[in-house]
Amino acid sequence: MNSTQIKCFLSLGKTLNFTQTAQDLYLAQPTVSKNIHNLEKEIGVTLISHKHRQIQLTKEGQYFYQILLRLSTEMENTIKKMQDSKITTLHTISIGYSGLPFEKQFLPIFIQLMQQKDKWNIELKAVSLSQPGILDKIAKHEIDFMIYQSDFFAQNSLPYSPMIEAGFSVIIRRDSPLKKYAQVPISALNKKIFLWDGNTPLSSVAKLKRALKEEISDNALEIQIIHKVSLATMLVQAKDGIAIVPSFAYDYNNQDVFYRYLDWDYTTKYGLGYVKEKENAPYFKDVITNMHKAINLVKEKWNK
Protein backbone atom coordinates (compact mmCIF):
# COMPACT_ATOMS: atom_id res chain seq x y z
CA MET A 1 0.00 0.00 0.00
CA ASN A 2 1.61 3.26 -1.15
CA SER A 3 0.79 6.94 -0.80
CA THR A 4 -0.68 7.20 -4.32
CA GLN A 5 -3.14 4.40 -3.60
CA ILE A 6 -4.18 6.09 -0.36
CA LYS A 7 -4.63 9.47 -2.06
CA CYS A 8 -6.72 7.89 -4.83
CA PHE A 9 -8.95 6.06 -2.37
CA LEU A 10 -9.44 9.07 -0.08
CA SER A 11 -10.36 11.25 -3.05
CA LEU A 12 -12.67 8.61 -4.53
CA GLY A 13 -14.34 8.12 -1.17
CA LYS A 14 -15.11 11.84 -1.19
CA THR A 15 -16.13 12.32 -4.83
CA LEU A 16 -17.53 8.86 -5.65
CA ASN A 17 -16.50 9.68 -9.20
CA PHE A 18 -13.42 8.37 -11.02
CA THR A 19 -13.35 11.29 -13.46
CA GLN A 20 -13.50 13.91 -10.71
CA THR A 21 -10.83 12.10 -8.66
CA ALA A 22 -8.54 11.94 -11.69
CA GLN A 23 -8.95 15.68 -12.26
CA ASP A 24 -8.39 16.51 -8.57
CA LEU A 25 -5.19 14.46 -8.43
CA TYR A 26 -3.96 15.41 -11.92
CA LEU A 27 -3.88 11.74 -12.92
CA ALA A 28 -5.29 9.81 -15.85
CA GLN A 29 -8.53 8.00 -15.03
CA PRO A 30 -7.06 4.53 -15.84
CA THR A 31 -4.25 5.31 -13.37
CA VAL A 32 -6.82 5.98 -10.63
CA SER A 33 -8.67 2.75 -11.44
CA LYS A 34 -5.43 0.76 -11.40
CA ASN A 35 -4.39 2.17 -8.01
CA ILE A 36 -7.78 1.34 -6.47
CA HIS A 37 -7.68 -2.17 -7.94
CA ASN A 38 -4.15 -2.78 -6.61
CA LEU A 39 -5.15 -1.48 -3.18
CA GLU A 40 -8.10 -3.87 -2.99
CA LYS A 41 -5.90 -6.72 -4.17
CA GLU A 42 -3.21 -5.93 -1.61
CA ILE A 43 -5.49 -5.78 1.44
CA GLY A 44 -7.84 -8.52 0.13
CA VAL A 45 -11.01 -6.49 0.59
CA THR A 46 -13.49 -5.03 -1.90
CA LEU A 47 -13.69 -1.32 -1.21
CA ILE A 48 -16.01 -0.01 -3.91
CA SER A 49 -19.04 -1.29 -5.76
CA HIS A 50 -20.70 -0.27 -9.03
CA LYS A 51 -24.49 0.04 -8.96
CA HIS A 52 -26.46 1.58 -11.77
CA ARG A 53 -23.32 3.28 -13.11
CA GLN A 54 -22.71 4.88 -9.74
CA ILE A 55 -19.77 4.36 -7.41
CA GLN A 56 -20.44 3.41 -3.81
CA LEU A 57 -18.20 2.38 -0.95
CA THR A 58 -18.83 -1.08 0.41
CA LYS A 59 -19.35 -1.51 4.14
CA GLU A 60 -15.68 -2.43 4.46
CA GLY A 61 -14.77 0.46 2.18
CA GLN A 62 -16.64 2.94 4.37
CA TYR A 63 -14.85 1.66 7.46
CA PHE A 64 -11.45 1.77 5.74
CA TYR A 65 -12.20 5.26 4.39
CA GLN A 66 -12.97 6.64 7.88
CA ILE A 67 -9.79 5.10 9.31
CA LEU A 68 -7.59 6.56 6.55
CA LEU A 69 -9.34 9.93 6.77
CA ARG A 70 -8.66 10.13 10.51
CA LEU A 71 -5.04 9.11 10.06
CA SER A 72 -4.59 11.63 7.24
CA THR A 73 -6.05 14.42 9.39
CA GLU A 74 -3.80 13.49 12.29
CA MET A 75 -0.80 13.48 9.99
CA GLU A 76 -1.63 16.95 8.64
CA ASN A 77 -2.11 18.29 12.17
CA THR A 78 1.20 16.78 13.28
CA ILE A 79 3.05 18.36 10.37
CA LYS A 80 1.45 21.74 11.11
CA LYS A 81 2.46 21.53 14.77
CA MET A 82 6.02 20.72 13.76
CA GLN A 83 6.11 23.68 11.37
CA ASP A 84 4.65 26.01 14.00
CA SER A 85 7.19 24.72 16.51
CA LYS A 86 9.97 25.51 14.06
CA ILE A 87 8.74 29.08 13.77
CA THR A 88 8.52 29.60 17.53
CA THR A 89 11.98 28.16 18.11
CA LEU A 90 13.72 30.67 15.81
CA HIS A 91 16.22 32.64 17.84
CA THR A 92 14.85 36.10 18.61
CA ILE A 93 17.22 39.05 18.29
CA SER A 94 16.06 42.31 19.87
CA ILE A 95 17.03 45.60 18.24
CA GLY A 96 16.49 48.85 20.11
CA TYR A 97 15.75 51.91 17.96
CA SER A 98 14.76 55.52 18.60
CA GLY A 99 12.25 56.01 15.77
CA LEU A 100 14.19 58.25 13.38
CA PRO A 101 12.71 58.50 9.86
CA PHE A 102 15.98 57.01 8.58
CA GLU A 103 15.43 53.93 10.77
CA LYS A 104 11.92 53.50 9.45
CA GLN A 105 13.40 53.30 5.96
CA PHE A 106 16.15 50.74 6.45
CA LEU A 107 14.86 48.55 9.30
CA PRO A 108 12.14 46.81 7.22
CA ILE A 109 14.83 45.96 4.64
CA PHE A 110 17.11 44.69 7.41
CA ILE A 111 14.36 42.40 8.75
CA GLN A 112 13.74 40.93 5.30
CA LEU A 113 17.44 40.21 4.87
CA MET A 114 17.67 38.54 8.27
CA GLN A 115 14.64 36.34 7.64
CA GLN A 116 16.00 34.97 4.38
CA LYS A 117 18.03 32.34 6.22
CA ASP A 118 14.97 31.19 8.19
CA LYS A 119 17.07 31.24 11.36
CA TRP A 120 16.59 34.58 13.06
CA ASN A 121 13.48 36.35 14.29
CA ILE A 122 13.91 40.13 14.71
CA GLU A 123 12.10 41.93 17.51
CA LEU A 124 12.21 45.72 17.26
CA LYS A 125 11.93 47.64 20.51
CA ALA A 126 11.13 51.34 20.34
CA VAL A 127 13.28 53.03 22.96
CA SER A 128 12.92 56.54 24.30
CA LEU A 129 16.46 57.76 24.80
CA SER A 130 15.15 60.48 27.09
CA GLN A 131 14.52 57.75 29.67
CA PRO A 132 17.32 56.37 31.86
CA GLY A 133 18.37 52.72 31.96
CA ILE A 134 18.99 52.02 28.27
CA LEU A 135 22.50 50.77 28.93
CA ASP A 136 21.18 48.53 31.70
CA LYS A 137 18.84 46.88 29.21
CA ILE A 138 21.81 46.13 26.96
CA ALA A 139 23.90 44.80 29.86
CA LYS A 140 21.04 42.55 30.99
CA HIS A 141 20.49 41.31 27.40
CA GLU A 142 16.96 42.72 27.32
CA ILE A 143 18.16 44.45 24.16
CA ASP A 144 20.79 42.68 22.04
CA PHE A 145 21.74 45.71 19.93
CA MET A 146 20.97 49.41 20.23
CA ILE A 147 21.04 51.74 17.21
CA TYR A 148 22.41 55.13 18.15
CA GLN A 149 25.31 57.57 17.88
CA SER A 150 28.79 56.31 18.65
CA ASP A 151 29.60 58.85 21.35
CA PHE A 152 26.69 57.58 23.46
CA PHE A 153 28.41 54.20 23.72
CA ALA A 154 31.96 55.55 23.90
CA GLN A 155 31.20 57.17 27.24
CA ASN A 156 30.31 53.77 28.65
CA SER A 157 33.05 51.68 26.98
CA LEU A 158 30.59 49.46 25.11
CA PRO A 159 31.67 47.82 21.83
CA TYR A 160 30.33 49.61 18.80
CA SER A 161 29.98 48.79 15.11
CA PRO A 162 29.64 51.97 12.98
CA MET A 163 27.29 51.86 9.99
CA ILE A 164 27.30 55.39 8.59
CA GLU A 165 29.07 58.68 9.27
CA ALA A 166 27.64 62.18 8.99
CA GLY A 167 27.65 65.62 10.55
CA PHE A 168 24.80 67.90 11.64
CA SER A 169 21.93 69.47 9.74
CA VAL A 170 20.05 72.72 10.19
CA ILE A 171 16.25 72.68 10.09
CA ILE A 172 14.76 75.95 8.82
CA ARG A 173 11.37 77.31 7.82
CA ARG A 174 10.59 77.27 4.11
CA ASP A 175 10.67 81.09 4.02
CA SER A 176 14.05 81.32 5.76
CA PRO A 177 16.85 83.19 3.93
CA LEU A 178 19.17 80.37 5.04
CA LYS A 179 17.69 78.12 2.37
CA LYS A 180 20.10 79.67 -0.16
CA TYR A 181 22.95 77.76 1.48
CA ALA A 182 23.77 74.18 0.55
CA GLN A 183 25.85 74.18 3.72
CA VAL A 184 24.90 76.77 6.32
CA PRO A 185 27.90 78.50 7.92
CA ILE A 186 27.79 78.84 11.68
CA SER A 187 28.30 82.61 11.35
CA ALA A 188 24.92 82.88 9.59
CA LEU A 189 23.08 81.41 12.59
CA ASN A 190 22.06 84.57 14.39
CA LYS A 191 18.69 83.45 15.65
CA LYS A 192 17.34 81.26 18.40
CA ILE A 193 18.74 77.74 18.09
CA PHE A 194 16.97 74.59 19.24
CA LEU A 195 19.86 72.19 19.68
CA TRP A 196 19.14 68.49 19.96
CA ASP A 197 21.05 66.49 22.57
CA GLY A 198 20.53 63.09 24.18
CA ASN A 199 19.23 62.76 27.70
CA THR A 200 22.77 61.60 28.41
CA PRO A 201 24.75 64.58 26.99
CA LEU A 202 26.80 63.61 23.94
CA SER A 203 30.38 64.76 23.37
CA SER A 204 29.65 65.65 19.73
CA VAL A 205 26.86 68.02 20.76
CA ALA A 206 29.02 69.56 23.49
CA LYS A 207 31.72 70.32 20.88
CA LEU A 208 29.12 71.84 18.58
CA LYS A 209 27.77 74.02 21.38
CA ARG A 210 31.28 75.35 22.06
CA ALA A 211 31.77 76.04 18.33
CA LEU A 212 28.50 77.97 18.21
CA LYS A 213 29.50 80.13 21.19
CA GLU A 214 32.93 80.78 19.71
CA GLU A 215 31.64 81.95 16.32
CA ILE A 216 28.39 83.70 17.26
CA SER A 217 28.30 86.75 19.51
CA ASP A 218 26.56 86.22 22.83
CA ASN A 219 23.95 88.90 22.22
CA ALA A 220 22.78 87.11 19.06
CA LEU A 221 22.87 83.56 20.43
CA GLU A 222 20.13 81.80 22.33
CA ILE A 223 20.46 78.02 22.59
CA GLN A 224 17.69 75.83 23.90
CA ILE A 225 18.43 72.12 24.37
CA ILE A 226 15.72 69.68 23.28
CA HIS A 227 15.74 65.89 23.68
CA LYS A 228 13.38 64.79 20.92
CA VAL A 229 14.13 65.10 17.21
CA SER A 230 10.42 65.23 16.41
CA LEU A 231 10.10 68.32 18.60
CA ALA A 232 12.75 70.16 16.56
CA THR A 233 10.60 70.35 13.42
CA MET A 234 7.54 71.45 15.40
CA LEU A 235 9.42 74.26 17.12
CA VAL A 236 10.91 75.53 13.87
CA GLN A 237 7.49 75.64 12.24
CA ALA A 238 5.86 77.33 15.24
CA LYS A 239 8.55 79.82 16.26
CA ASP A 240 11.15 82.17 14.85
CA GLY A 241 14.22 80.00 15.14
CA ILE A 242 16.18 77.15 13.65
CA ALA A 243 17.07 73.68 14.91
CA ILE A 244 20.27 71.68 14.67
CA VAL A 245 20.09 67.89 14.68
CA PRO A 246 22.36 65.03 13.58
CA SER A 247 22.06 64.48 9.84
CA PHE A 248 20.81 60.94 10.60
CA ALA A 249 17.58 62.61 11.73
CA TYR A 250 16.85 63.93 8.25
CA ASP A 251 13.16 63.34 7.46
CA TYR A 252 12.96 63.09 3.67
CA ASN A 253 9.16 62.94 3.76
CA ASN A 254 8.69 66.21 5.63
CA GLN A 255 7.86 68.92 3.09
CA ASP A 256 7.05 71.60 5.67
CA VAL A 257 10.65 72.54 6.42
CA PHE A 258 14.04 72.59 4.70
CA TYR A 259 17.07 70.64 5.84
CA ARG A 260 20.52 72.07 5.13
CA TYR A 261 23.90 70.66 6.11
CA LEU A 262 25.74 72.61 8.78
CA ASP A 263 29.11 73.83 7.51
CA TRP A 264 31.15 72.47 10.40
CA ASP A 265 34.12 70.16 9.96
CA TYR A 266 33.05 67.43 12.37
CA THR A 267 31.31 64.10 11.89
CA THR A 268 29.90 61.47 14.17
CA LYS A 269 29.07 57.83 13.56
CA TYR A 270 25.76 56.02 13.73
CA GLY A 271 25.52 52.27 14.25
CA LEU A 272 25.09 49.40 16.72
CA GLY A 273 26.11 49.23 20.36
CA TYR A 274 26.16 45.93 22.26
CA VAL A 275 27.93 44.01 25.01
CA LYS A 276 31.20 42.23 24.23
CA GLU A 277 29.69 38.73 24.45
CA LYS A 278 27.50 39.41 21.42
CA GLU A 279 30.56 39.21 19.18
CA ASN A 280 30.60 35.44 19.81
CA ALA A 281 26.89 34.97 19.13
CA PRO A 282 26.02 32.89 16.02
CA TYR A 283 23.88 35.73 14.66
CA PHE A 284 26.41 38.56 15.19
CA LYS A 285 27.94 38.47 11.71
CA ASP A 286 24.50 38.29 10.04
CA VAL A 287 23.25 41.31 12.00
CA ILE A 288 26.27 43.47 11.14
CA THR A 289 26.41 42.42 7.48
CA ASN A 290 22.68 42.77 6.80
CA MET A 291 22.36 46.11 8.55
CA HIS A 292 25.20 47.46 6.40
CA LYS A 293 23.37 46.18 3.31
CA ALA A 294 20.03 47.68 4.36
CA ILE A 295 21.54 51.10 5.10
CA ASN A 296 23.47 51.14 1.83
CA LEU A 297 20.31 50.26 -0.13
CA VAL A 298 18.54 53.26 1.41
CA LYS A 299 21.54 55.50 0.69
CA GLU A 300 21.42 54.46 -2.98
CA LYS A 301 17.79 55.63 -3.17
CA TRP A 302 18.83 59.02 -1.73
CA ASN A 303 21.41 59.42 -4.47
CA LYS A 304 18.77 58.72 -7.13
Side-chain angles (χ1 to χ4, degrees):
M1 182 168 57
N2 58 46
S3 60
T4 303
Q5 293 170 349
I6 293 173
K7 288 179 181 179
C8 287
F9 180 66
L10 283 173
S11 179
L12 187 62
K14 179 181 178 181
T15 65
L16 297 178
N17 186 293
F18 276 95
T19 301
Q20 185 63 50
T21 290
Q23 291 176 352
D24 291 347
L25 299 180
Y26 300 97
L27 297 172
Q29 185 170 328
T31 302
V32 175
S33 300
K34 182 178 180 180
N35 275 279
I36 296 298
H37 174 74
N38 289 340
L39 179 60
E40 290 178 321
K41 183 178 180 180
E42 184 173 339
I43 64 177
V45 175
T46 301
L47 300 174
I48 65 172
S49 63
H50 300 263
K51 290 185 178 180
H52 308 294
R53 296 184 180 180
Q54 291 185 337
I55 300 297
Q56 291 183 346
L57 295 181
T58 64
K59 183 178 180 180
E60 293 80 5
Q62 291 176 350
Y63 174 78
F64 191 56
Y65 174 78
Q66 293 299 325
I67 294 295
L68 287 183
L69 186 62
R70 185 174 70 250
L71 291 174
S72 177
T73 302
E74 290 177 357
M75 179 66 73
E76 290 176 358
N77 290 338
T78 299
I79 292 174
K80 186 177 185 305
K81 287 180 180 178
M82 291 176 65
Q83 291 174 335
D84 290 343
S85 175
K86 180 182 178 182
I87 293 174
T88 57
T89 55
L90 291 176
H91 185 87
T92 297
I93 305 166
S94 59
I95 308 287
Y97 72 104
S98 57
L100 296 177
F102 176 48
E103 294 171 344
K104 294 176 183 178
Q105 288 181 304
F106 77 78
L107 280 175
I109 300 173
F110 166 72
I111 292 174
Q112 291 177 357
L113 292 172
M114 288 295 292
Q115 291 176 340
Q116 285 179 355
K117 290 190 175 182
D118 198 24
K119 293 167 58 178
W120 316 123
N121 177 50
I122 302 300
E123 179 184 19
L124 296 180
K125 292 187 176 182
V127 175
S128 174
L129 295 169
S130 62
Q131 297 177 352
I134 301 302
L135 296 176
D136 291 338
K137 292 181 180 293
I138 299 174
K140 295 177 181 178
H141 302 278
E142 294 177 19
I143 295 177
D144 294 311
F145 299 90
M146 181 66 209
I147 309 172
Y148 201 42
Q149 284 185 214
S150 57
D151 43 352
F152 176 76
F153 298 99
Q155 295 175 12
N156 298 276
S157 302
L158 285 175
Y160 186 80
S161 181
M163 296 288 160
I164 188 174
E165 186 172 2
F168 287 82
S169 290
V170 181
I171 304 177
I172 59 176
R173 292 167 58 99
R174 295 184 67 86
D175 59 356
S176 171
L178 296 177
K179 67 181 180 182
K180 66 182 179 182
Y181 295 104
Q183 292 186 324
V184 180
I186 290 180
S187 58
L189 304 178
N190 56 359
K191 294 185 177 182
K192 184 172 186 178
I193 299 174
F194 301 104
L195 178 61
W196 175 88
D197 197 359
N199 187 63
T200 300
L202 301 178
S203 59
S204 58
V205 180
K207 291 178 182 178
L208 174 58
K209 191 174 181 179
R210 288 196 297 271
L212 292 172
K213 289 183 177 180
E214 289 173 0
E215 297 195 33
I216 302 175
S217 61
D218 289 341
N219 59 354
L221 180 64
E222 181 182 354
I223 298 177
Q224 180 179 332
I225 299 296
I226 57 175
H227 298 304
K228 291 185 178 182
V229 173
S230 58
L231 183 60
T233 303
M234 296 171 57
L235 290 171
V236 170
Q237 290 178 270
K239 299 184 179 182
D240 186 22
I242 59 100
I244 301 178
V245 298
S247 295
F248 316 118
Y250 193 170
D251 186 353
Y252 289 79
N253 295 317
N254 191 328
Q255 303 299 316
D256 297 323
V257 294
F258 283 120
Y259 288 79
R260 293 290 186 267
Y261 287 114
L262 179 66
D263 188 10
W264 184 49
D265 190 19
Y266 183 90
T267 60
T268 184
K269 295 179 177 64
Y270 173 90
L272 292 174
Y274 47 85
V275 293
K276 183 68 176 178
E277 303 94 280
K278 294 300 175 185
E279 294 178 353
N280 298 320
Y283 49 79
F284 180 79
K285 184 177 180 180
D286 284 345
V287 170
I288 301 302
T289 300
N290 288 323
M291 188 158 289
H292 269 295
K293 287 182 180 179
I295 288 176
N296 287 333
L297 285 171
V298 170
K299 285 173 61 179
E300 288 177 6
K301 292 181 180 179
W302 293 349
N303 295 332
K304 293 178 182 179

